[in-house]
């Protein structure tokens, strides 16, 4: 049996260009010794609390196209980056800390050519108190119903 689809009717309106309301902060070159702070201006507490935050940096002596994630091991595995976010007056500060792979402060200066911090808002936020309720994963029909999967 052969089935074909035919395009009927006029085309709908063009969708809105965008990238899911992602905000990207670009920072230039910095020499980091133990720690560095990056101010995220104009970001509210609600936005921070309901978003995924991703950060990447380009360290010297790596190629300018190399991006390392924060947190993670740095160039040649010599150090590790860690971060925390805190509110400072009306803004938030993304604080990067450098530590040795063993966890001690890393005091050798590291140059970050550039830093990019992405604030990616969630489409859905689920507040969970205690253990999150979910379907019985051994029951196909319970899983199907829980995720609203059509037949």
């Amino acid at each position: 049996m052969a089935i074909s689809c035919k395009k009927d009717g006029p085309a709908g309106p063009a969708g809105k260009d965008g990238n899911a309301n992602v905000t990207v902060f670009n920072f230039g070159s910095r020499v980091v010794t133990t720690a560095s702070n990056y101010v995220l201006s104009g970001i509210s507490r609600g936005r921070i609390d309901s978003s995924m935050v991703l950060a990447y940096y380009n360290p010297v002596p790596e190629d300018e196209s190399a991006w390392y994630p924060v947190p993670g091991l740095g160039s040649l595995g010599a150090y590790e980056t860690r971060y925390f976010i805190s509110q400072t007056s009306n803004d938030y500060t993304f604080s990067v800390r450098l530590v040795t792979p063993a966890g001690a402060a890393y005091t050798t200066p590291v140059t970050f050519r550039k830093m990019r911090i992405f604030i990616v808002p969630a489409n859905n936020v689920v507040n969970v108190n205690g253990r999150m309720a979910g379907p019985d994963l051994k029951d196909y029909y319970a899983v199907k119903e829980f995720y609203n999967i059509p037949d």
Side-chain angles (χ1 to χ4, degrees):
M1 173 191 329
I3 297 175
S4 67
C5 295
K6 180 179 171 188
K7 181 179 174 184
D8 290 328
K16 183 178 171 185
D17 288 340
N19 57 5
N21 298 316
V22 173
T23 300
V24 179
F25 290 89
N26 291 312
F27 297 93
S29 183
R30 283 189 192 186
V31 175
V32 180
T33 303
T34 308
S36 186
N37 295 324
Y38 299 87
V39 176
L40 308 178
S41 297
I43 297 293
S44 70
R45 180 176 185 169
R47 180 86 184 262
I48 285 291
D49 288 349
S50 64
S51 295
M52 174 174 56
V53 178
L54 301 170
Y56 302 89
Y57 67 100
N58 173 244
V60 171
E62 300 293 337
D63 185 80
E64 290 190 36
S65 65
W67 290 97
Y68 281 69
V70 177
L73 283 175
S75 186
L76 303 172
Y79 59 89
E80 183 178 343
T81 56
R82 297 180 180 174
Y83 79 93
F84 66 92
I85 301 170
S86 59
Q87 190 170 15
T88 49
S89 37
N90 293 327
D91 296 318
Y92 275 84
T93 299
F94 184 92
S95 300
V96 176
R97 301 288 183 253
L98 300 180
V99 296
T100 66
Y106 187 78
T107 57
T108 303
V110 176
T111 300
F112 290 2
R113 274 193 200 95
K114 48 194 168 186
M115 167 75 84
R116 297 189 86 191
I117 301 171
F118 296 75
I119 310 296
V120 183
N123 288 333
N124 186 30
V125 176
V126 178
N127 294 316
V128 179
N129 293 326
R131 187 172 168 199
M132 186 167 121
D136 177 356
L137 298 178
K138 295 179 183 175
D139 181 344
Y140 165 82
Y141 294 102
V143 171
K144 185 172 100 47
E145 181 179 338
F146 185 82
Y147 291 107
N148 295 319
I149 306 294
D151 288 327

